[in-house]
């Protein structure tokens, strides 16, 4: 059996946790640069505010209903996510963090265990120890656990257990096929041409037909909906996808210096993520983007992938490579709105191939990075950084409605009089 857990309206409820006066009100969270809506309270949904609505398009509606508007406070959300995952770990021997607000738990052969009671315990204890409302879905496969979670939300339930064929059949009967985990837009459009509207309809297709029309991935999903596990919970990071850090600017950047600072910051973030998952990268991709929505400006989307001579995860080494790369791709005369760094060719630390002719001081770089991590962990992220990463960051994204750093800044910790 598997469990799928996620936080209800994650970003909104993180804000409500530290400001209970927001409970029951229209609350929305905006994306980078306060561009569009990325999280809504149930009250906001009832007012017709949709995901990805541009802020300027719903500004009047938000004002009319007295909405509380917040910029994305990723430091706060990541901190609360870590607390959630630490609490979930006690219920499983293998936990897979799927995103900032959701995870899969392996429950093995829960013979003799009351799954309803287990789901109730997880839900109540997470609320007790973190203050975050969650939904729990349990099923014999990861796809069915995810489906159970969504079905529970649609029904307004805190949890749903699909442990018998009867319960599974009832859950898939009218479940929209486009909401099934793994059914993307392309698959949905293809299935719609065959009259497939629900998860039940999809299950009724012949397995060979599914494999032919939707490749092996679609076939695995089809098997999972019949209760036959094809996916595996991984207790280590998936290194195949790479690690990326990017951000839009608060205004157009036309000079090289601020772009170097931004790229240095992203390289440091990527390096930290690599160290946290005990990995190293063999190549970096650095890219710049202009605003594709502004047709008045000339467009430019340069990128450069650099093979690192020695697999690394040190802030100094990755920043050096990244800054040199952005100098190579930058062209004056363009209005850049976004910059990013992506690490690929990721391998475990223990699998690094050493080279006796390489002058790279691996042990020294590791010690320096460990020192930076220790200092930043003790005194706050960004306390110690490279000179290439400016402290001013005049190019930083717009966050006009940012809440306090309740869990990551001593100055913002809530106190009582």
């Amino acid at each position: 059996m598997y469990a799928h857990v996620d936080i209800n309206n994650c970003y909104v409820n993180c804000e409500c946790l530290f400001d209970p006066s927001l409970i029951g009100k229209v609350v929305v969270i905006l994306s980078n640069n306060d561009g569009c809506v990325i999280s809504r309270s149930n009250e906001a949904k009832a007012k017709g505010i949709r995901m990805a609505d541009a802020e300027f398009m719903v500004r009047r509606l938000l004002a009319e209903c007295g909405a509380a508007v917040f910029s994305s406070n990723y430091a706060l959300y990541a901190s609360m996510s870590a607390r959630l995952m630490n609490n979930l770990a006690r219920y499983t021997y293998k936990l897979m963090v799927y995103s900032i607000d959701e995870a899969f738990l392996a429950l093995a052969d829960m013979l003799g265990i009351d799954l309803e009671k287990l789901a109730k315990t997880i839900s109540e204890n997470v609320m007790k120890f973190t203050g975050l409302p969650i939904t729990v879905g349990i099923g014999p496969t990861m796809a069915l656990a995810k489906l159970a979670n969504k079905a529970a939300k649609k029904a307004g339930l805190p949890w749903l257990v699909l442990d018998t064929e009867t319960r599974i059949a009832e859950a898939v009967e009218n479940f929209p096929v486009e909401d099934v985990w793994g059914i993307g837009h392309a698959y949905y459009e293809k299935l719609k041409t065959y009259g497939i509207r629900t998860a039940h309809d999809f299950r009724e297709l012949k397995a060979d037909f599914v494999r032919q029309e939707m490749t092996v991935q679609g076939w695995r999903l089809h098997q999972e909906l019949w209760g036959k596990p094809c996916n595996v919970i991984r207790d280590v990071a998936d290194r195949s996808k790479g690690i990326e850090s990017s951000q839009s600017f608060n205004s157009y950047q036309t000079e090289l210096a601020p772009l170097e600072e931004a790229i240095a910051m992203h390289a440091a973030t990527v390096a930290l993520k690599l160290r946290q998952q005990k990995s190293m990268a063999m190549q970096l991709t650095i890219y710049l983007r202009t605003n594709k929505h502004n047709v008045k400006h000339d467009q430019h989307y340069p990128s450069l992938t650099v093979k690192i001579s020695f697999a690394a995860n040190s802030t100094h080494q990755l920043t050096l490579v990244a800054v040199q790369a952005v100098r190579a791709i930058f062209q004056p005369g363009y209005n850049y709105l976004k910059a990013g760094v992506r690490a690929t060719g990721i391998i475990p630390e223990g699998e690094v191939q050493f080279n006796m002719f390489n002058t790279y001081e691996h042990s020294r770089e590791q010690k320096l990075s460990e020192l930076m991590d220790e200092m930043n962990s003790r005194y706050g992220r960004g306390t110690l950084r490279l000179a290439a990463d400016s402290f001013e960051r005049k190019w930083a994204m717009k966050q006009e409605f940012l809440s306090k750093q309740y869990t990551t800044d001593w100055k913002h910790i809530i106190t009582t009089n």
Side-chain angles (χ1 to χ4, degrees), residues 12-20 22-23 80 83 127 130-132 414:
V12 165
N13 276 310
C14 285
E15 299 288 354
C16 292
L17 177 61
F18 295 94
D19 185 359
L22 298 172
I23 298 174
M80 296 311 300
R83 297 186 186 197
M127 173 59 78
T130 70
L132 296 172
I414 295 176

Side-chain angles (χ1 to χ4, degrees), residues 19-206:
D19 185 359
S21 67
L22 298 172
I23 298 174
K25 295 183 178 180
V26 176
V27 182
V28 299
I29 311 298
L30 302 178
S31 64
N32 292 345
N33 282 320
D34 299 336
C36 61
V37 177
I38 58 171
S39 184
R40 309 156 293 161
S41 64
N42 291 332
E43 292 74 17
K45 296 174 184 177
K47 292 292 184 179
I49 300 170
R50 300 168 300 178
M51 284 289 286
D53 273 347
E55 186 274 336
F56 73 90
M57 294 182 64
V58 295
R59 190 176 298 163
R60 178 178 295 180
L61 175 59
L62 293 173
E64 290 175 352
C65 57
V69 180
F70 293 93
S71 303
S72 298
N73 190 340
Y74 293 119
L76 174 64
Y77 308 150
S79 173
M80 296 311 300
S81 172
R83 297 186 186 197
L84 169 69
M85 302 310 168
N86 286 335
N87 272 271
L88 294 178
R90 72 180 65 184
Y91 302 105
T92 180
Y93 63 94
K94 188 177 291 187
L95 175 74
M96 185 175 82
V97 179
Y98 191 65
S99 69
I100 192 171
D101 66 338
E102 61 181 319
F104 285 97
L105 291 73
L107 303 180
D109 301 320
M110 303 296 284
L111 189 62
I113 300 296
D114 188 333
L115 294 174
E116 293 280 352
K117 185 177 180 180
L118 176 65
K120 181 175 184 290
T121 299
I122 294 174
S123 176
E124 292 178 349
N125 282 352
V126 167
M127 173 59 78
K128 177 181 178 181
F129 294 119
T130 70
L132 296 172
I134 63 171
T135 300
V136 182
I138 294 180
T141 66
M142 293 173 67
L144 283 173
K146 181 91 170 179
L147 186 148
N149 187 298
K150 286 191 175 183
K153 284 186 176 180
K154 290 177 183 291
L157 302 173
W159 64 82
L160 179 63
V161 177
L162 303 180
D163 56 350
T164 66
E165 179 53 41
T166 300
R167 288 185 173 184
I168 294 172
E170 290 175 353
V172 303
E173 181 67 31
N174 296 305
F175 193 88
V177 71
E178 63 268 29
D179 289 342
V180 173
W181 183 45
I183 299 292
H185 178 73
Y187 279 161
Y188 170 61
E189 291 298 324
K190 177 175 286 190
L191 291 171
K192 191 164 62 172
T193 63
Y194 293 107
I196 307 302
R197 304 292 182 182
T198 67
H200 171 267
D201 296 338
F202 179 62
R203 286 211 315 170
E204 293 303 308
L205 292 174
K206 297 292 185 180

